[in-house]
């Protein structure tokens, strides 16, 4: 083959490669920009129906899908043989699949959590022994801030299996206060004193009405339960105030709260 | 003598005191600060409101006294303390549940708790103090849905004379119409206090706007806030907290009677 023909063919090939590269770069840039616009629009639409936290997850999932499609297209534009690549990816994905079972489980659990909506960001939840405010819900995990200001990451997989108590779902909460009084106490008198406490404490709701119950006869005290309803946000303050009032009122009314005594006898 | 809710002028480093039932409300003006102290420990039988202006002392700040401070680049002397109605609906109950016969109407009266609103700096400073420490109560079909209200300590009466007169409460007149063919049991009633103007008559007694409630067939209630009977004898002291639409409000019966 004459030299001029060889060099011309090389030149054509070079220019074709350059054109492919240019197209690939253009595709990459356009794909990512359009993908960003598309996913943001999708998130805005989703946000109207499912709230900002879930919309963010939808946006992330859509973004990963867009990135996958764009990269595949770019590689094809660069004349990569995708069948080989996908074949390798198939083998690789089996290996990765075994290695990332937990992550996949977390993602699937995350999707279930997003659909089921047992809690929202801002809610206070109790999971096993952890209680805290939900900071965010992601595909892999839920982030909590505990009341002693610790950051806790809970994998979605564990949340699906665990018992979740949402402390913020309903506007009211019941404060259960166990009370023990001596066997000498007049229980009707105790009932009247507790009713007065509930009536005098502004944080205690008058409806649903407070409930007084005799629970059992303990070793050293008659065990009672005193249940009052409060607004959810007043729970801790109301509990503290009612207990303080019980102590003061029982002292004033001569109602004894028995407690264990230790007597040391020296021989 | 001018009524206790008229505007006063407080000089710098001066204090004034409002005594209202068990509440002592102290207000002090400094060059760059307003200081408000609330003492609820007073045990007084007399509920008439007294104003000491200027007050000869400032309470010893400590346990049991709630103190609030407001800063400003320069305070101005005008100050007003006015009574206002409750910021939430008030749930009223008759002494015993009573039944309203079909196609009848009755007029009932109830005393509503009042708050004191401190207004200074042209309205930029607003602070409220409740005079009765009312308890909250839940008004709704269950503990999941409903509305947080105040529980009224005074009862609903069919005769106004039976209401204990108190200068720290406003009286509300309720016209209740049972337009159904069934006996209606009235065990509680939700008074929309934030939607009512507080009025004062020429005797210095406080009233809220009257309400007419028509209980209709099909389980609905038609609520209308009535204009005052004699506008020459009463004046609006504090307008309603919530904007009120014109005309009648149709509500489910359960939203009014629980």
């Amino acid at each position: 083959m004459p030299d001029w023909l060889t060099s011309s063919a090389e030149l054509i090939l070079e220019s074709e490669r350059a054109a492919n590269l240019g197209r690939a770069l253009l595709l990459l840039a356009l794909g990512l920009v359009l993908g960003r616009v598309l996913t943001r629009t999708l998130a805005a639409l989703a946000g109207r129906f499912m709230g900002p936290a879930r919309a963010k997850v939808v946006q992330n999932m859509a973004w990963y899908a867009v990135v996958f499609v764009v990269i595949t297209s770019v590689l094809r534009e660069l004349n990569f043989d995708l069948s080989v690549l996908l074949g390798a990816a198939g083998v690789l994905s089996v290996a990765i699949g075994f290695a990332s079972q937990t992550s996949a489980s977390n993602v699937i659990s995350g999707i279930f959590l997003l659909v089921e909506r047992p809690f929202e960001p801002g809610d206070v939840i109790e999971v096993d022994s952890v209680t805290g405010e939900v900071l965010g819900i992601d595909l892999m995990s839920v982030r909590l801030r505990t009341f002693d200001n610790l950051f806790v990451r809970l994998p979605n997989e564990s949340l699906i299996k665990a018992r979740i108590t949402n402390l913020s779902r309903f506007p009211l909460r019941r404060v259960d206060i166990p009370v023990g009084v001596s066997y000498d106490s007049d229980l009707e008198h105790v009932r009247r004193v507790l009713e007065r406490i509930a009536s005098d404490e502004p944080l205690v709701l008058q409806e649903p009405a407070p409930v007084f119950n005799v629970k059992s006869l303990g070793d050293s005290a008659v065990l009672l339960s005193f249940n009052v309803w409060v607004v959810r946000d007043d729970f801790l303050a109301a509990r503290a105030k009612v207990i303080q009032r019980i102590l003061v009122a029982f002292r004033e009314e001569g109602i004894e709260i028995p407690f264990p005594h230790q007597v040391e006898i020296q021989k | 003598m001018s009524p206790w809710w008229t505007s006063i002028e407080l000089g710098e480093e001066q204090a004034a005191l409002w005594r209202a039932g068990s509440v002592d409300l102290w207000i002090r003006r400094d060059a760059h600060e307003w200081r408000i102290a609330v003492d609820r420990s007073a045990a007084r039988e007399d509920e008439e409101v007294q104003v000491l202006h200027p007050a000869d002392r400032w309470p010893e700040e400590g346990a049991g006294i709630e103190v609030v401070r407001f800063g400003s680049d320069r305070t101005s002397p005008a100050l007003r303390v006015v009574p206002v109605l409750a910021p939430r609906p008030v749930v009223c109950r008759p002494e015993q549940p009573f039944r309203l016969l079909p196609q009848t109407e009755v007029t009932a009266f109830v005393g509503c708790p009042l708050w004191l609103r401190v207004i200074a700096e042209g309205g930029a400073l607003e602070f409220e103090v409740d005079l009765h420490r009312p308890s909250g109560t839940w008004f709704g079909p269950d503990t999941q849905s409903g509305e947080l209200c105040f529980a009224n300590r005074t009862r609903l009466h069919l005769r106004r004379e039976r209401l204990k007169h108190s200068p720290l409460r406003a009286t509300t007149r309720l016209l209740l119409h049972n337009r159904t063919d069934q006996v209606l049991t009235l065990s509680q009633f939700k008074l929309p206090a934030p939607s009512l103007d507080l009025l004062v008559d020429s005797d210095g007694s406080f009233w809220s706007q009257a309400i007419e409630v028509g209980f209709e067939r099909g389980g609905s209630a038609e609520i209308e806030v009535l204009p005052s009977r004699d506008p020459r004898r009463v004046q609006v002291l504090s307008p309603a907290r919530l904007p009120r639409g014109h005309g009648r409000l149709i509500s489910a019966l359960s939203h009014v009677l629980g």
Side-chain angles (χ1 to χ4, degrees):
Chain A
M1 195 181 283
D3 283 352
W4 61 269
L5 195 60
T6 314
S7 60
S8 298
E10 276 174 1
L11 204 64
I12 289 166
L13 276 174
E14 280 298 316
S15 62
E16 246 182 57
R17 271 185 207 146
N20 283 349
L21 187 66
R23 272 201 300 275
L25 285 175
L26 190 67
L27 197 65
L28 183 69
L30 265 178
L32 292 182
V33 170
L34 284 177
R36 184 60 80 187
V37 172
L38 181 80
T39 51
R40 280 189 183 168
T41 312
L42 188 69
L45 280 173
R48 289 184 196 169
F49 304 104
M50 49 178 69
R54 286 179 175 80
K56 184 75 185 163
V57 175
V58 170
Q59 185 184 2
N60 287 343
M61 287 169 71
W63 175 246
Y64 296 142
V66 165
V67 168
F68 177 75
V69 171
V70 168
I71 288 176
T72 316
S73 307
V74 166
L75 290 175
R76 210 171 58 180
E77 207 56 52
L78 293 172
N79 290 328
F80 277 88
D81 188 354
L82 286 180
S83 59
V84 175
L85 202 68
L86 288 175
V91 175
L92 195 67
S93 63
V94 173
I96 292 173
F98 276 113
S100 62
Q101 273 182 20
T102 312
S103 303
S105 169
N106 275 329
V107 170
I108 292 165
S109 305
I111 292 168
F112 277 114
L113 283 178
L114 289 171
V115 174
E116 198 186 342
R117 296 186 178 199
F119 48 78
E120 302 279 345
D123 282 357
V124 176
I125 61 168
E126 188 181 294
V127 184
D128 296 332
S129 58
V130 181
T131 306
E133 183 193 353
V134 178
L135 295 177
I137 307 164
D138 290 328
L139 265 184
M140 299 284 281
S141 63
V142 167
R143 288 166 284 124
L144 292 188
R145 184 181 67 83
T146 62
F147 293 126
D148 49 351
N149 210 29
L150 300 177
F151 178 89
V152 179
R153 178 186 176 276
L154 295 167
N156 288 340
E157 189 190 22
S158 65
L159 280 170
I160 282 288
K161 293 174 190 162
R163 195 184 78 165
I164 304 170
T165 308
N166 189 335
L167 305 178
S168 313
R169 178 57 64 87
F170 301 129
L172 305 184
R173 281 191 70 182
R174 198 180 72 182
V175 183
D176 296 343
I177 300 167
V179 183
V181 294
S182 79
Y183 275 89
D184 297 334
S185 305
D186 174 356
L187 293 185
E188 270 310 307
H189 180 214
V190 173
R191 177 200 294 272
R192 283 195 299 275
V193 171
L194 290 176
E195 281 174 354
R196 196 185 68 218
I197 288 168
S199 164
D200 289 350
E201 174 51 55
L203 293 182
V204 171
L205 298 178
Q206 301 308 298
E207 286 289 336
V211 175
F212 165 90
N213 253 318
V214 181
K215 281 178 75 180
S216 63
L217 302 175
D219 290 342
S220 54
V222 181
L223 302 175
L224 317 168
S225 74
F226 182 46
N227 307 329
V228 296
W229 288 85
V230 299
V231 174
R232 182 184 65 210
D233 295 342
D234 292 338
F235 180 82
L236 292 175
R239 187 173 64 184
K241 285 194 170 178
V242 171
I243 291 173
Q244 278 178 26
R245 280 180 183 263
I246 288 174
L247 280 177
V248 173
F250 277 18
R251 204 171 291 142
E252 284 172 2
E253 298 285 337
I255 300 169
E256 188 193 350
I257 301 176
F259 56 92
H261 290 74
Q262 200 168 29
V263 180
E264 195 177 314
I265 301 170
Q266 290 182 338
K267 288 184 179 176
Chain B
M1 200 178 103
S2 48
W4 60 264
W5 55 86
T6 48
S7 187
I8 61 168
E9 300 232 320
L10 206 58
E12 269 187 27
E13 298 184 7
Q14 258 192 2
L17 165 65
W18 281 257
R19 284 191 167 141
S22 61
V23 173
D24 280 353
L25 172 69
W26 306 75
I27 304 174
R28 179 186 164 89
R29 178 186 163 225
D30 287 328
H32 306 290
E33 181 185 15
W34 285 94
R35 196 177 280 231
I36 299 173
V38 181
D39 182 1
R40 296 177 184 276
S41 61
R44 275 189 292 270
E45 289 291 316
D46 182 17
E47 288 193 323
E48 290 295 336
V49 180
Q50 298 167 13
V51 185
L52 271 70
H53 170 228
D56 52 358
R57 65 183 184 90
W58 181 253
E60 197 177 321
E61 294 177 16
I65 294 186
E66 178 194 344
V67 179
V68 187
R69 298 165 68 188
F70 296 89
S72 168
D73 56 347
R74 188 86 207 150
T75 57
S76 52
L79 170 70
R80 197 171 176 216
V81 175
V82 288
V84 286
L85 285 168
R88 281 190 226 142
V90 178
V91 175
C92 318
R93 291 186 171 84
E95 269 175 297
Q96 284 91 32
F98 76 86
R99 294 175 172 83
L100 199 55
L101 297 175
Q103 304 297 338
T104 53
E105 61 179 71
V106 294
T107 301
F109 296 89
V110 69
C112 276
L114 289 178
W115 269 241
L116 291 182
R117 181 185 285 163
V118 179
I119 307 166
E121 305 296 328
L125 186 163
E126 278 201 1
F127 178 78
E128 291 192 6
V129 183
D130 59 273
L131 291 174
H132 297 278
R133 283 261 145 142
S135 295
T137 192
W138 189 250
F139 195 85
D142 51 45
T143 54
Q144 298 165 31
S145 56
E147 188 180 7
L148 184 62
C149 302
F150 287 119
N152 203 353
R153 290 186 195 276
T154 64
R155 298 296 183 185
L156 206 68
H157 292 286
L158 296 183
R159 285 182 13 224
R160 197 196 156 198
E161 309 83 74
R162 294 206 57 197
L163 270 186
K164 188 189 162 205
H165 172 75
S166 166
L168 304 180
R169 286 183 184 275
T171 306
T172 302
R173 188 166 58 91
L174 298 165
L175 271 74
L176 306 169
H177 296 251
N178 182 4
R179 296 183 186 129
T180 70
D181 298 323
Q182 292 176 333
V183 175
L184 201 72
T185 304
L186 205 86
S187 54
Q188 57 177 357
F189 177 82
K190 185 178 79 174
L191 186 75
S195 304
L196 304 177
D197 292 344
L198 177 68
L199 314 167
V200 61
D201 67 12
S202 50
D203 302 332
S205 299
F206 299 123
W207 291 82
S208 82
Q209 283 175 299
I211 289 181
E212 184 177 2
V213 186
F215 302 107
E216 310 288 339
R217 290 188 184 96
S220 66
E222 204 175 82
I223 305 163
E224 187 179 16
V225 176
L226 300 175
S228 67
R229 276 177 177 170
D230 185 357
R232 287 167 301 176
R233 287 194 66 230
V234 295
Q235 67 174 90
V236 176
L237 200 52
S238 302
R241 294 168 184 266
L242 296 180
R244 206 174 44 232
H246 293 289
R248 291 167 179 232
L249 175 74
I250 308 291
S251 178
L253 200 63
S254 58
H255 288 180
V256 182
L257 297 183

